[in-house]
Amino acid sequence: MGKGKRAIQSYKSTEFIEQARDAEGLVLGQNPFKAAPSTSSSLLSCETVCEQQPIKANTEKKGGQQTVSETASPTPAPSSSEEKEKGSSELEAVPSFILVSTYLSFLLLLVIAHMRDFFGKLFYPENYVQLREQNGYAPMVSDFESLWSRRLYGRIRDCFNRPITGVAGGRVHLLDRVSHDFNNTFEFTGRVREVLNLASYNYLGFAQSHGPCADKVEQAIRENGLTHGSTRAEAGCSRLLAETEEMVARFVGTEAALIVSMGYATNALNIPALVSKGCLIISDELNHSSLVSGARLSGATIRVFGHNNAHSLERELRRCISQGQPRTHRPWKKILVVVEGLYSMEGETCCLPELIDLRRKYGFYLFVDEAHSIGALGKRGRGVCDHFGVDPREVDVLMGTFTKSFGAAGGYIAGNRALIDYMRLHSHSAVYSEAMSVPVLAQVSSSMRMIMGEDREHALEGQQRLDQLAINSRYFARRLREMGFMTLGDPGSPVVPLLLFSLGKIPAFSRECLRRNIAVVVVSYPATSIITGRVRFCISASHTREELDYALEQVSEIGDLLMLKFHKNTTTAAGENTKKLQ
């Protein structure tokens, strides 16, 4: 597609805030992409106004018809306490038979696994040599850990680590494989199937091998090569890297930013540079593994508070501040509260306004991981601060990754300039790890410019992707609830978890989806609690309405087959609501 055609195509988009929408964010009575601004520059001017005065639509009734008028006032964010109560009430509504049978099935699997190991060690001891002490050396893995991998995970190993080829966009090419020894080994059949991708983090659809971002990447490679082959502390600090870091700082609303070449290392290697022995880290109990690794590497004392519960955090703060450090009871050097902006396993946003109030009250430092929220939440895609209307300067450390919404790799740490200058000298990610490669930097900068509206040729395309993601996410989650499924997450989250509960239904759901050419991610214990096994749908702006409707139709059939619809009273109104949506 030539530049002229792409400019015409991007011109035909529109802004999410200009449409009349219902409580779920779906367009009322018209095509969501029918109207368009008069000129491409009008979006840029509107964006400048929106930064100072957020838009909210007010509805009025005139002559029996509903009209929409726009006024400049902040958009109210949902109360996190209300959302938490809603989620807990939904779990309480699950029939007791489902919960009891889930525990019993888990217990039965463990009993059978132990019986097989008992007789296996008795009659086939050569197969269990790795679990016994050898030449004075302890076994590499514990008995139960090996039991879990062999007897439980091995049963459903075909549901994970499925190889793909090509770009993981809205659709993906899956390499078919088969196992003849109960999932111990796999063989490729040579067949490649195209499946609908509801498993990849590609929120804004920038994972593409063609288009304006791919063109910018190709141009950057021709001008700068592939990599600098050095750390940024030596010869890896290029002009492209400095410009991208400055752009990231402007995008998230901070003074400066530091780019790291690996997303996991952004947390694991930078948290130890912020806190050390004598400091206190208070972490959400459902934080990502990278945050846990960084906290453990720091040497600081770690405390945990209830998931997304500001009252639990305040109780822990009061207790830790009053008691001080262990044994010496001296005051803490620093207190760092670590949360995620959007929890990828639950689809929930953090209670940021309440955290800001506690920060002002107790004077701790706040670290927000926006790996899944940056680019996916907020009218301008600026993350959880944009979502709640909070000044980013109220958060001490903003962390994010480029793998979810930008179609790239790596991550960033953003904050005030003094903090970032300190991190450039003391963080292991800046001193010892390699600088981000040129193609990845070009992908990050081109996609971010498009979201910010700074790419004149594609000024509207970034906002169009944000709009489409919001529409798709709300539509998919709403339809699942109407069908009677029990889902988690907040409205507008691109991650939509659907509870499966029973351990036997988890692999069955994944295999049934694959048989219908749909790729999904299923999650079970120990990643979740025993009774909250789930399938996690990842919605993208690249998904069309026809693809989502097909997925919903197939998921509904699977739900009837596996008896997953726990809220059947809502299915009667599904048809009427669908007509209203159309």
Side-chain angles (χ1 to χ4, degrees):
M1 184 181 296
K3 295 183 178 180
K5 291 185 178 180
R6 285 202 299 265
I8 294 174
Q9 183 177 0
S10 64
Y11 170 79
K12 294 180 180 179
S13 64
T14 185
E15 290 187 70
F16 183 73
I17 58 177
E18 290 187 352
Q19 304 297 330
R21 299 175 183 270
D22 60 6
E24 295 291 338
L26 296 173
V27 178
L28 294 174
Q30 59 179 335
N31 188 324
F33 300 117
K34 184 177 181 180
S38 56
T39 62
S40 60
S41 61
S42 63
L43 176 62
L44 303 178
S45 60
C46 178
E47 183 177 357
T48 305
V49 175
C50 294
E51 290 179 357
Q52 301 174 356
Q53 297 178 338
I55 302 296
K56 182 178 72 173
N58 297 329
T59 58
E60 300 177 357
K61 289 187 176 180
K62 295 182 181 180
Q65 297 181 353
Q66 190 177 30
T67 61
V68 178
S69 60
E70 295 179 353
T71 58
S73 60
T75 303
S79 172
S80 59
S81 58
E82 295 177 358
E83 294 167 355
K84 186 174 182 64
E85 293 175 359
K86 178 182 177 182
S88 60
S89 63
E90 287 183 353
L91 289 177
E92 293 173 358
V94 179
S96 300
F97 171 76
I98 300 296
L99 301 180
V100 173
S101 62
T102 301
Y103 279 112
L104 290 179
S105 62
F106 182 77
L107 179 61
L108 179 62
L109 285 173
L110 286 180
V111 170
I112 295 175
H114 279 291
M115 290 178 60
R116 292 188 62 184
D117 268 15
F118 174 78
F119 289 106
K121 293 176 181 178
L122 189 62
F123 296 105
Y124 304 99
E126 65 276 4
N127 295 335
Y128 298 87
V129 174
Q130 72 277 10
L131 300 179
R132 297 195 300 266
E133 181 179 336
Q134 301 181 53
N135 301 324
Y137 291 96
M140 292 294 294
V141 295
S142 65
D143 197 359
F144 181 78
E145 182 180 350
S146 175
L147 173 78
W148 181 271
S149 301
R150 290 180 290 103
R151 302 302 186 191
L152 297 180
Y153 173 74
R155 290 171 173 262
I156 60 175
R157 191 165 164 238
D158 60 299
C159 300
F160 305 96
N161 304 321
R162 290 170 176 157
I164 66 172
T165 180
V167 179
R171 306 188 72 87
V172 65
H173 292 89
L174 188 67
L175 300 179
D176 203 3
R177 59 181 182 173
V178 64
S179 177
H180 302 288
D181 53 2
F182 306 102
N183 293 339
N184 287 327
T185 60
F186 293 94
E187 295 179 3
F188 290 109
T189 63
R191 189 165 66 97
V192 179
R193 69 166 77 179
E194 186 182 54
V195 298
L196 178 61
N197 187 10
L198 296 178
S200 297
Y201 299 134
N202 183 29
Y203 296 148
L204 294 180
F206 282 115
Q208 297 173 313
S209 58
H210 62 278
C213 292
D215 295 340
K216 296 292 179 60
V217 170
E218 182 180 357
Q219 179 182 355
I221 293 175
R222 295 181 183 277
E223 295 177 355
N224 303 287
L226 290 174
T227 180
H228 298 284
S230 175
T231 66
R232 63 171 302 139
E234 294 178 344
C237 187
S238 62
R239 183 179 64 179
L240 180 60
L241 176 59
E243 291 176 350
T244 307
E245 286 181 338
E246 189 272 334
M247 184 191 308
V248 171
R250 287 191 292 110
F251 183 73
V252 300
T254 59
E255 295 180 1
L258 170 67
I259 287 181
V260 183
S261 58
M262 181 180 177
Y264 192 96
T266 307
N267 283 328
L269 298 184
N270 284 294
I271 291 180
L274 297 172
V275 291
S276 58
K277 186 178 180 180
C279 301
L280 173 66
I281 295 178
I282 304 182
S283 176
D284 189 288
E285 63 180 350
L286 297 184
N287 273 345
H288 190 262
S289 174
S290 60
L291 295 170
V292 176
S293 299
R296 290 174 176 174
L297 288 173
S298 67
T301 303
I302 304 174
R303 295 290 182 267
V304 178
F305 67 95
H307 170 58
N308 217 15
N309 191 330
H311 299 291
S312 175
L313 173 60
E314 185 170 15
R315 287 195 301 268
E316 193 66 33
L317 280 168
R318 295 172 65 90
R319 186 180 68 84
C320 292
I321 292 176
S322 62
Q323 295 181 2
Q325 299 184 34
R327 294 188 299 274
T328 62
H329 301 289
R330 294 177 179 176
W332 300 99
K333 297 179 180 178
K334 300 176 188 175
I335 298 179
L336 181 68
V337 174
V338 181
V339 296
E340 293 187 39
L342 176 64
Y343 294 88
S344 61
M345 203 63 70
E346 287 73 30
E348 300 173 354
T349 55
C350 69
C351 50
L352 186 60
E354 300 176 23
L355 295 176
I356 295 297
D357 293 339
L358 291 177
R359 174 182 174 274
R360 295 169 180 168
K361 182 177 181 180
Y362 293 98
F364 57 80
Y365 294 100
L366 181 59
F367 185 107
V368 178
D369 180 347
E370 291 210 85
H372 290 267
S373 57
I374 192 67
L377 291 183
K379 291 181 179 179
R380 302 172 301 156
R382 309 297 171 93
V384 68
C385 293
D386 187 20
H387 176 70
F388 285 105
V390 172
D391 188 349
R393 291 173 295 183
E394 294 279 2
V395 181
D396 298 287
V397 185
L398 284 169
M399 175 270 175
T401 61
F402 304 121
T403 55
K404 282 74 177 178
S405 297
F406 303 93
Y412 67 86
I413 292 287
N416 62 63
R417 191 167 299 279
L419 170 67
I420 300 304
D421 290 341
Y422 172 85
M423 298 293 289
R424 287 195 175 101
L425 295 177
H426 294 83
S427 172
H428 287 182
S429 64
V431 178
Y432 298 109
S433 65
E434 75 285 353
M436 184 175 286
S437 63
V438 172
V440 179
L441 282 172
Q443 173 69 24
V444 172
S445 61
S446 59
S447 58
M448 191 169 292
R449 286 184 187 278
M450 196 176 296
I451 297 173
M452 298 171 67
E454 294 183 357
D455 189 339
R456 293 284 179 173
E457 186 179 350
H458 308 278
L460 301 176
E461 187 173 341
Q463 187 64 44
Q464 182 184 16
R465 292 175 184 264
L466 295 172
D467 300 347
Q468 191 63 50
L469 176 62
I471 294 171
N472 289 351
S473 301
R474 292 177 181 270
Y475 176 77
F476 194 84
R478 178 164 157 175
R479 286 292 305 277
L480 287 177
R481 291 193 297 269
E482 289 175 350
M483 292 176 182
F485 292 103
M486 181 172 292
T487 62
L488 301 177
D490 296 333
S493 168
V495 179
V496 183
L498 187 153
L499 293 178
L500 303 177
F501 296 104
S502 176
L503 296 177
K505 295 179 180 179
I506 293 173
F509 190 96
S510 176
R511 290 162 183 161
E512 286 294 326
C513 285
L514 183 60
R515 192 167 67 86
R516 293 166 167 81
N517 292 327
I518 302 175
V520 297
V521 172
V522 290
V523 189
S524 179
Y525 181 84
T528 65
S529 61
I530 295 176
I531 62 172
T532 57
R534 67 197 65 177
V535 55
R536 185 179 59 177
F537 299 105
C538 297
I539 308 302
S540 171
S542 61
H543 291 141
T544 64
R545 181 60 59 89
E546 290 76 15
E547 291 174 338
L548 294 181
D549 286 338
Y550 171 77
L552 289 166
E553 179 184 357
Q554 300 304 317
V555 169
S556 180
E557 293 180 4
I558 299 173
D560 293 331
L561 180 65
L562 301 180
M563 295 183 291
L564 297 173
K565 298 180 178 180
F566 303 103
H567 298 314
K568 294 184 178 180
N569 57 333
T570 61
T571 58
T572 57
E576 298 179 0
N577 291 333
T578 302
K579 292 180 180 179
K580 293 179 180 179
L581 294 178
Q582 294 175 351

